[in-house]
Amino acid sequence: MVSSSTAPRRVVQRYGLLLLAVAVAAAVWASATGDIGVRSPLPGAAVLLLAVFSGWAASTIRTRRWPLFLAAAFGWLVLAAAAAGVIASYQAGLRLRGRWLATYLAGAAAVLAGGVLVGLQVGGVRRMTTASTGNVLLLAACLVGLPLVFGLWVRARRDTLAALRDRAERLEREQEARADRVRAEERTRIAREMHDVVAHRVSLMVVHAGALEVTAADPATVEAAALIRTTGRQALTDLREVLGVLRQAEAAVVPERGLDALDELIGESRTAGLRVSRQDEGVPTALPTTLGRTAYRVVREALTNVRKHAADAETVVGLRYLPDGLEVVVRNGPSVGGPELPGAGQGLLGLRERVELLGGRLEATPLDGGFLVRALIPLAGVA
C-alpha cells in the first residue's frame, strides 16, 4: 500500500519539470496582462511566445541552463516578469560554482540595471515598479538574492549529506574489513589448534597401529591394525583438507565423494565390524554431482551413528531411484547395548540443513527398537 507521502513525491518526480514549465509560462503571461505585474503594451502573440519560451527553458534545467538564463533576462527587460528570474537564481546557487557563479551575479546586475533604464524610458507604472530605488533593492533581493542563497543552502546540504553517506560507507567497509581479518585470524587459530591436537593424536594412532601390524602374530589383530592404520591415514588426509579450507581467506570447496564410493564406504563399515547390507530399488540413472555427494554424506553420517550407538545392530542401506529425485534410507535394527562412542550431536542437524538447501527433506526417527534415517532429495533442487 502506498503511503500518503509517497504518492505526491512520485508525482513530483515524474511530472515535476512539466508542472514547473506550466507554472513559469502562466506566471509570465499573468505578469504581462497585469494580474501579478506591470501590464505590457506588446501584442498578445509576442507575450504568448515569450511565455512559452520561458516555460520550455524552465523544463530544460536538468540538461542545460542557458535557455533559462536567457528567458529570465528577456522576461525582465521586456515584460518585467520575475518568474523565470527567480528559478534562474535558484539554479545558479544550486549548480554554479566559482567564476561561473560570479559571472551569473554580474549578468544579473546588468539585467537589473537594464530594467532600470527600460523603466525610466517607458515611465508610468513600469518606472515606479522597476526604476525607483526602493523597489530596485527589493527586487534585487527577491529576484536574485533570496533564491540564490536558498540554492546555495540546498547545495551545501546535499554536499554534506553526500559526505556523510560516503563516510558511513567507508566506515562500513572498514568495519567489514576488520571483521574479515578477525575471522581469518580466528580460522587460522582454529586450524593451528586442530593441527596441534587432533593431527598429533591421529598420527600417534597411525604409528602405533603400524607397529602393531608388524609385531602382532594373530592374523585378526594384524588385519585390525591395518584397518586402523589405513583409516587413520585417510583421516589425516581429510583433516589436512579441512585445515587448508580454514587457513584460506576465501571459502574453498573440499573434494567430496559421491555415490560411486558408496560400496567402498559400506565395505569399510563391514571391516570395522558392522553388519551392513545394501538394497537398491528402481533403475539407476546418472545423477548430478551435488545430489550424489549429499546422498553419500547422508549414508556416511548414518553409518557413523550406527557405529557409535548400535554397533551390533543389523543395518540396511537403500537407494530408491525416483523419476524426480533420489530417496536414501539407512535403517538399523535393535541393539543389545554396549559402549557408545562420544559425539557432538550436530551431524544430523548439519545433514538436515544440507538436504533442505537442495529442496529436500530429512527424517531421523526411532523405529521398531532401532533407528531410521530417510532423505528425499529432488532433482529440481539441484542446480
Side-chain angles (χ1 to χ4, degrees):
M1 183 175 180
V2 180
S3 63
S4 58
S5 61
T6 303
R9 187 181 302 114
R10 290 182 177 178
V11 172
V12 171
Q13 290 176 350
R14 177 174 297 183
Y15 304 107
L17 290 180
L18 178 60
L19 295 176
L20 179 63
V22 172
V24 170
V28 171
W29 176 265
S31 179
T33 57
D35 293 335
I36 58 173
V38 180
R39 185 176 182 86
S40 173
L42 295 177
V47 174
L48 179 61
L49 180 62
L50 186 54
V52 171
F53 173 71
S54 299
W56 171 81
S59 68
T60 63
I61 55 176
R62 289 182 179 175
T63 56
R64 57 179 71 92
R65 291 181 293 272
W66 67 265
L68 181 60
F69 295 160
L70 185 62
F74 271 96
W76 183 251
L77 293 175
V78 177
L79 302 177
V86 171
I87 303 300
S89 297
Y90 170 75
Q91 290 296 321
L94 184 64
R95 301 176 183 272
L96 299 183
R97 300 175 184 270
R99 62 186 183 89
W100 291 109
L101 183 58
T103 301
Y104 175 81
L105 291 175
V111 171
L112 289 175
V116 172
L117 297 177
V118 172
L120 292 175
Q121 182 67 30
V122 173
V125 178
R126 178 69 182 269
R127 177 175 182 174
M128 181 180 62
T129 304
T130 62
S132 61
T133 303
N135 284 344
V136 169
L137 295 177
L138 181 61
L139 289 171
C142 295
L143 191 63
V144 180
L146 292 179
L148 184 69
V149 171
F150 185 67
L152 291 172
W153 177 80
V154 172
R155 186 180 70 185
R157 183 174 179 272
R158 289 181 180 178
D159 293 343
T160 301
L161 292 177
L164 291 176
R165 280 195 298 269
D166 292 340
R167 181 181 179 183
E169 292 175 357
R170 184 174 65 253
L171 291 176
E172 184 177 358
R173 289 194 298 268
E174 293 176 355
Q175 183 177 3
E176 290 178 355
R178 286 195 297 268
D180 291 340
R181 185 168 58 252
V182 171
R183 282 194 293 268
E185 293 174 355
E186 182 66 13
R187 289 159 68 100
T188 303
R189 185 187 65 80
I190 294 173
R192 185 170 55 251
E193 291 182 358
M194 289 180 63
H195 180 272
D196 293 343
V197 178
V198 180
H200 174 68
R201 295 188 180 276
V202 174
S203 299
L204 288 178
M205 181 184 68
V206 171
V207 171
H208 287 299
L212 181 62
E213 182 182 3
V214 174
T215 59
D218 184 14
T221 304
V222 172
E223 183 179 358
L227 176 62
I228 295 173
R229 179 175 55 83
T230 303
T231 305
R233 286 182 176 177
Q234 183 62 41
L236 286 175
T237 301
D238 295 340
L239 182 60
R240 280 194 296 268
E241 292 174 349
V242 173
L243 296 182
V245 173
L246 287 175
R247 289 192 179 101
Q248 293 176 4
E250 299 293 335
V253 178
V254 178
E256 295 186 28
R257 296 181 175 183
L259 289 179
D260 54 346
L262 188 58
D263 287 332
E264 181 182 351
L265 175 63
I266 294 176
E268 292 176 354
S269 299
R270 289 171 179 166
T271 305
L274 291 183
R275 293 180 293 165
V276 186
S277 61
R278 176 175 176 178
Q279 298 177 358
D280 292 356
E281 298 181 21
V283 180
T285 57
L287 298 174
T289 304
T290 303
L291 192 152
R293 290 176 176 174
T294 302
Y296 179 86
R297 287 286 299 272
V298 171
V299 175
R300 187 177 67 180
E301 180 62 28
L303 292 179
T304 300
N305 288 337
V306 172
R307 286 197 299 270
K308 289 180 180 178
H309 308 292
D312 59 334
E314 187 77 26
T315 306
V316 177
V317 175
L319 299 181
R320 184 183 178 192
Y321 293 89
L322 304 173
D324 56 350
L326 178 69
E327 184 181 26
V328 182
V329 177
V330 180
R331 182 178 60 192
N332 65 273
S335 172
V336 297
E340 295 188 358
L341 296 177
Q346 301 297 318
L348 290 177
L349 180 60
L351 277 184
R352 178 172 284 107
E353 294 176 352
R354 187 182 183 109
V355 172
E356 290 177 352
L357 282 176
L358 300 182
R361 64 179 185 271
L362 180 74
E363 176 187 358
T365 180
L367 180 67
D368 298 333
F371 203 81
L372 171 69
V373 176
R374 177 188 288 118
L376 182 61
I377 312 171
L379 289 172
V382 182

